[in-house]
Amino acid sequence: MIDLDALAGLRAVATHGSVVGAAAATGYTPSAISQQVKRLEKQTGVPLLERVGRGVMLTSHGQHLVDAGEQVLADLEQLEASLQERAGVVAGRIRLAAFSTAMRGLVAPIARSLRDAHPGLTLTLREAEPWDVVELVASGQVELGIVHRWGGVALAVPDHVLATPLHGDVADLIVHRDDPLATRRTVTPHDLVDIGWIATPEGTICRQWLSRMYDGTGRPPRIAHVSAEFESHLALVRAGLGVALVPRMGRAALGEDLVAVPVADPEPVRLVDALHRRTMADSPAVRAVLAAFDGVRPSGG
């Protein structure tokens, strides 16, 4: 009989391209992953991995086992979810991956109440960028993921992954209180063509949105400084180094030195989705976490 945990370990090696990568993704040690693969080789009687330089790759037998085993693992996941639904049990482990502001603004507010309401449920958290979250959910490394997308900036989600819309999140223009824009009730991109932005790095979803926001102005945004974290954006605005577009979700209190000014035409709203595999649709644990998220609305200081 094929060891299903070992099969999942081999799948992780296939996904991450190495035993070390599989171990980091699954929480096992590299030695444990290697032992799982050896156990599978003994059970099947065929070699599943081969050395390539300092790394490894799946043999044709190993790739066939992973490909055929995907449906087996999916069926078992669906069976477990349906059994828990029949029993009305909210228990087990939910591995959840989310982008940083969702971790602060969505996950942290519900974690304690969720644990108190369902003592048999263990929530394991991991922070990752949206495109990485999609891969983690799709490949079975986490049960739930939280992603965001801005306007027309697409985020590809595989067919076997379902997206549940959560509350949208609005971003505000953050300026220093001494900035003339601090007195405005609203601003549009046409009001912002000459200002210096503190922006996320090139290629990020937020940076793509900032660029698209300027469509119709005839000018791209002028990027003065680049920083990955919104907390750093606030600090740099506070230091008088520019302005920033910062979402309300998970945003720290602005204090006396910063002012949030609403933006219009277009209003910068990002859509936030919870992702899970279709096989987990009947899981009471997944439903309990989604219900908890539904009660949280983004807010900013």
Side-chain angles (χ1 to χ4, degrees):
M1 182 72 70
I2 291 177
D3 185 318
L4 295 176
D5 286 338
L7 177 58
L10 182 65
R11 179 177 65 177
V13 175
T15 300
H16 297 281
S18 71
V19 170
V20 173
T26 59
Y28 289 103
T29 64
S31 176
I33 293 292
S34 295
Q35 289 300 317
Q36 287 179 340
V37 174
K38 289 178 181 178
R39 191 158 64 249
L40 272 180
E41 289 179 329
K42 184 176 180 180
Q43 291 169 343
T44 60
V46 296
L48 302 174
L49 291 180
E50 59 182 337
R51 291 260 173 211
V52 179
R54 295 185 177 181
V56 296
M57 68 177 290
L58 271 67
T59 65
S60 61
H61 301 303
Q63 191 61 58
H64 175 72
L65 180 57
V66 168
D67 292 342
E70 285 285 358
Q71 188 59 53
V72 174
L73 293 173
D75 288 344
L76 286 173
E77 185 173 69
Q78 189 168 21
L79 175 60
E80 182 180 5
S82 64
L83 285 172
Q84 290 178 344
E85 182 191 31
R86 285 171 61 88
V89 175
V90 179
R93 180 180 66 164
I94 292 291
R95 297 168 296 180
L96 188 151
F99 58 95
S100 58
T101 51
M103 196 68 79
R104 295 195 297 269
L106 270 179
V107 180
I110 61 100
R112 179 179 292 273
S113 60
L114 196 62
R115 183 182 62 187
D116 292 343
H118 307 290
L121 179 64
T122 300
L123 199 62
T124 303
L125 307 177
R126 177 173 179 175
E127 193 169 295
E129 292 296 325
W131 45 85
D132 294 325
V133 171
V134 173
E135 172 59 25
L136 290 169
V137 174
S139 63
Q141 297 176 63
V142 300
E143 284 69 50
L144 272 173
I146 307 297
V147 298
H148 69 80
R149 50 196 169 89
W150 290 90
V153 179
L155 187 64
V157 176
D159 290 340
H160 71 285
V161 174
L162 289 177
T164 300
L166 303 179
H167 296 296
D169 183 25
V170 178
D172 296 308
L173 176 72
I174 306 299
V175 300
H176 194 277
R177 65 178 180 181
D178 296 332
D179 191 306
L181 292 172
T183 62
R184 297 284 298 271
R185 296 186 63 181
T186 62
V187 293
T188 72
H190 290 276
D191 301 318
L192 309 174
V193 291
D194 294 319
I195 64 173
W197 285 97
I198 298 156
T200 57
E202 189 71 42
T204 59
I205 295 175
C206 296
R207 179 68 167 269
Q208 291 174 33
W209 166 255
L210 180 61
S211 296
R212 292 191 182 195
M213 194 174 78
Y214 272 67
D215 288 350
T217 65
R219 301 267 294 277
R222 185 169 67 84
I223 308 301
H225 307 283
V226 175
S227 174
E229 289 293 327
F230 289 124
E231 291 289 333
S232 300
H233 290 204
L234 296 181
L236 295 176
V237 176
R238 193 173 285 113
L241 299 181
V243 304
L245 191 70
V246 182
R248 296 173 185 175
M249 179 184 292
R251 192 169 75 199
L254 298 181
E256 297 180 355
D257 293 332
L258 301 180
V259 176
V261 182
V263 180
D265 300 325
E267 181 184 38
V269 177
R270 64 177 175 176
L271 306 177
V272 181
D273 294 328
L275 306 181
H276 64 78
R277 293 178 297 285
R278 291 181 184 274
T279 51
M280 299 294 291
D282 294 332
S283 167
V286 167
R287 290 179 178 178
V289 178
L290 293 179
F293 283 142
D294 195 48
V296 181
R297 292 182 179 274
S299 61

